[in-house]
Amino acid sequence: MRFLIVRTEIRAAADTDIAAAWAGGGRLRDETSAPEPRRQVVHAEDRDAALLLARALSTVGAVRAGRHRVKVLPIEDLDPTHPYHWGGS
């Protein structure tokens, strides 16, 4: 299985938004409808490589300072004719 390693900016949330999400039992952020802005994207062919790359991206100053975060996402194998296929085998 392939993985996508993404470094994103963390969006600040207002106190009123946090309180409303907490009181309503909803989500503060919904990545499917409004994803955080991406700063860097890397592909990996297996889990070990993905975790190694994520560890390397975690040493970036903005991640260590809490302004960015690193996410490791599994991606499905796409049909080679799919328009978003990135050329991996």
Side-chain angles (χ1 to χ4, degrees):
M1 176 179 281
R2 291 183 286 187
F3 292 84
L4 187 68
I5 302 93
V6 183
R7 182 169 58 100
T8 64
E9 294 179 12
I10 297 176
R11 288 188 304 254
D15 290 340
T16 55
D17 294 338
I18 295 170
W22 184 264
R27 293 182 180 181
L28 181 61
R29 295 180 173 97
D30 183 6
E31 290 290 316
T32 58
S33 64
E36 294 176 332
R38 293 180 179 178
R39 300 295 289 179
Q40 191 171 12
V41 179
V42 183
H43 296 276
E45 291 294 326
D46 61 24
R47 184 175 180 267
D48 291 336
L51 294 177
L52 184 66
L53 288 167
R55 188 176 309 132
L57 288 177
S58 296
T59 63
V60 173
V63 176
R64 295 180 65 181
R67 293 187 309 272
H68 294 175
R69 77 177 89 220
V70 176
K71 302 172 186 177
V72 177
L73 310 166
I75 53 176
E76 297 293 326
D77 288 330
L78 295 175
D79 178 24
T81 60
H82 192 278
Y84 295 115
H85 188 265
W86 59 276
S89 56

